[in-house]
């Protein structure tokens, strides 16, 4: 708005699924998503908007696993995280913590973060019956901060007043901290792209070259301000 004072922009939250649905039905021009659009969603845009979807990666994020600061557990394997969120491990003592029941918090199913976690951690399995879905990452963080036995997940940029633990790909691998550097190098097992999507004949131009739109550079700058990583040069991430 500072750069374009005559423009009017309305911003609405609600999760990636909400934004994608708005793009399909034509109530938004741009939607943000923390997951890739599905083929059937792109087909719906084509059918209803008579336009192809433009997909623009703007940043890289790491999905962190949140614990209360008082919890002594500081790392887990992907398998341990999966078993916890699927209800196979229910006591912290089974992963090196105190003798206390684990309380599960996370996002609702319209969230791209929920979809990414379900696909990449649970291998598309179901969450445990005692899983508590909350309306946003801030709500997840608030719950874990207040609950010494809580566990949740969300972007690393939001991980304040709690502990974002290191994650090992498997039992034979070293735990890796959820940092920007590890996300960009693909060492951290839960890194992901963040996207902008449009459905318009006018394509937003994403480039790292000066004076050629600079959308990706702009997104990277804003991303750093909000705790996510700017995209590296194309050769480092294309086809990732």
């Amino acid at each position: 708005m500072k750069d374009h004072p005559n423009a009017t922009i309305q911003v609405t939250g609600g999760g990636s699924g909400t934004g994608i649905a708005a793009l399909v039905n034509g109530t938004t021009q741009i939607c943000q998503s923390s997951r890739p659009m599905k083929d059937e969603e792109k087909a719906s845009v084509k059918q209803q908007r008579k336009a192809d979807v433009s997909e623009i990666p703007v940043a890289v994020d790491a999905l962190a696993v949140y614990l209360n600061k008082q919890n002594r557990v500081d790392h887990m394997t992907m398998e341990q995280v999966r078993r916890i969120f699927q209800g196979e491990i229910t006591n912290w003592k089974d992963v090196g913590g105190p003798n206390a029941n684990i309380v599960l918090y996370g996002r609702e199913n319209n969230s791209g973060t929920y979809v990414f976690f379900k696909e990449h951690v649970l291998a598309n399995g179901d969450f445990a019956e005692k899983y508590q879905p909350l309306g946003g990452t801030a709500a997840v963080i608030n719950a874990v901060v207040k609950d010494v036995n809580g566990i949740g997940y969300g972007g690393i940029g939001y991980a304040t007043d709690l502990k974002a633990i290191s994650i090992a790909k498997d039992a034979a691998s070293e735990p890796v901290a959820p940092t920007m550097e590890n996300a960009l190098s693909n060492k951290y097992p839960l890194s992901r792209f963040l996207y902008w999507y449009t459905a318009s004949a006018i394509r937003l131009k994403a480039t790292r070259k000066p004076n050629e739109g600079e959308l990706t550079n702009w997104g990277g700058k804003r991303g750093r301000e909000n705790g996510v990583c700017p995209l590296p040069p194309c050769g480092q991430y294309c086809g990732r």
Side-chain angles (χ1 to χ4, degrees):
M1 299 298 291
K2 186 183 296 184
D3 294 336
H4 303 279
N6 296 323
T8 300
I9 300 174
Q10 293 180 315
V11 180
T12 303
S16 300
T18 301
I20 290 170
L23 189 70
V24 171
N25 63 36
T27 57
T28 191
Q29 293 174 298
I30 303 171
C31 78
Q32 296 176 314
S33 181
S34 59
R35 65 164 175 87
M37 280 186 71
K38 300 173 184 177
D39 290 341
E40 55 267 32
E41 292 169 335
K42 292 180 180 179
S44 294
V45 171
K46 179 74 171 179
Q47 181 180 13
Q48 297 192 43
R49 303 284 300 275
K50 310 302 180 187
D52 292 322
V53 170
S54 294
E55 180 179 273
I56 306 153
V58 293
V60 175
D61 185 27
L63 197 66
V65 174
Y66 304 145
L67 302 188
N68 187 282
K69 283 184 175 180
Q70 296 183 49
N71 194 320
R72 64 174 177 262
V73 175
D74 59 10
H75 68 274
M76 282 192 275
T77 65
M78 289 278 285
E79 176 67 6
Q80 287 174 318
V81 176
R82 180 196 67 76
R83 293 184 65 199
I84 284 173
F85 276 91
Q86 292 197 295
E88 296 175 14
I89 295 175
T90 59
N91 195 299
W92 282 113
K93 66 181 175 60
D94 294 329
V95 289
N99 184 12
N101 290 331
I102 300 172
V103 184
L104 307 176
Y105 301 102
R107 298 294 305 278
E108 296 176 318
N109 61 9
N110 67 337
S111 159
T113 300
Y114 170 99
V115 173
F116 182 90
F117 193 89
K118 182 177 172 67
E119 290 178 349
H120 291 80
V121 178
L122 306 190
N124 279 319
D126 294 328
F127 284 90
E129 289 185 5
K130 292 185 177 180
Y131 173 80
Q132 300 179 56
L134 300 174
T137 300
V140 175
I141 288 172
N142 187 54
V144 176
V145 167
K146 292 180 178 179
D147 189 343
V148 67
N149 297 317
I151 183 172
Y153 59 85
I156 58 171
Y158 299 96
T160 57
D161 299 322
L162 41 67
K163 176 162 49 175
I165 64 170
S166 298
I167 301 293
K169 184 177 180 180
D170 51 46
S173 303
E174 289 294 321
V176 179
T179 65
M180 287 188 179
E181 293 76 17
N182 289 335
L184 283 171
S185 66
N186 215 22
K187 292 178 181 177
Y188 184 69
L190 290 175
S191 59
R192 60 180 179 172
F193 284 125
L194 303 178
Y195 301 92
W196 277 15
Y197 287 101
T198 67
S200 173
I202 301 174
R203 294 173 60 91
L204 294 175
K205 194 169 186 180
T207 177
R208 293 190 63 84
K209 297 179 181 179
N211 304 317
E212 290 187 8
E214 297 188 341
L215 177 61
T216 301
N217 281 339
W218 179 89
K221 178 182 177 182
R222 297 300 183 268
R224 280 190 297 270
E225 294 170 356
N226 289 279
V228 297
C229 316
L231 292 180
C234 185
Q236 295 181 26
Y237 71 85
C238 287
R240 174 177 163 178

